[in-house]
């Protein structure tokens, strides 16, 4: 009888210890899932922001390409018959610079 009572106590303690360990494990899994979800949300926001920036930079590149193309049509340095000279004429260069 004495041994049986002692075994019952051990079983109760073991079950309690196991219950606490399982609770701790579930809590840890939940915290890990929450952390991953937060990281996912943060990366989604960063991705959206970077896509917006790519769009803006693409628009700027298109605009600057058009400006350059328009400028090339009237640039005296590109139309100069002496454009192989290493030092461009100051007056020709000045007309290409923005005012």
């Amino acid at each position: 009888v004495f041994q049986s009572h002692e075994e019952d106590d051990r079983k109760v303690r073991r079950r309690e210890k196991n219950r606490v360990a399982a609770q701790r494990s579930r809590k840890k899994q939940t915290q890990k899932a929450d952390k991953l979800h937060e990281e996912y949300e943060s990366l989604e926001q960063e991705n959206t922001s970077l896509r917006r920036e790519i769009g803006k930079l693409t628009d700027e590149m298109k605009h600057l390409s058009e400006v350059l193309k328009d400028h090339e049509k009237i640039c005296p340095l590109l139309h100069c018959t002496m454009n192989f000279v290493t030092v461009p004429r100051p007056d020709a260069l000045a007309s290409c610079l923005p005012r």
Side-chain angles (χ1 to χ4, degrees):
V1 175
F2 177 73
Q3 199 170 19
S4 173
H5 183 4
E6 197 174 288
E7 285 176 15
D8 286 346
D9 282 349
R10 265 189 280 167
K11 281 183 184 178
V12 168
R13 281 195 304 268
R14 192 171 66 235
R15 279 191 198 127
E16 177 63 17
K17 193 175 177 181
N18 189 44
R19 186 184 67 76
V20 170
Q23 231 175 5
R24 212 174 21 242
S25 176
R26 284 190 294 272
K27 184 178 179 181
K28 193 174 177 181
Q29 284 179 326
T30 302
Q31 287 173 338
K32 186 176 179 181
D34 289 346
K35 185 178 176 184
L36 284 173
H37 184 71
E38 286 175 19
E39 187 178 348
Y40 166 81
E41 291 291 329
S42 174
L43 289 171
E44 281 291 322
Q45 287 178 357
E46 184 180 1
N47 195 13
T48 300
S49 174
L50 289 171
R51 286 181 191 279
R52 259 191 241 116
E53 186 176 353
I54 287 170
K56 288 178 185 176
L57 291 171
T58 300
D59 290 345
E60 183 181 3
M61 183 181 73
K62 286 176 186 174
H63 170 72
L64 291 173
S65 292
E66 288 174 19
V67 169
L68 179 61
K69 195 168 84 176
D70 290 343
H71 177 76
E72 285 173 343
K73 294 175 188 173
I74 61 166
C75 181
L77 290 178
L78 294 175
H79 299 294
C80 178
T81 56
M82 301 286 288
N83 63 1
F84 58 87
V85 177
T86 56
V87 180
R89 296 188 337 253
D91 58 325
L93 182 59
S95 67
C96 285
L97 297 176
R99 289 171 173 64

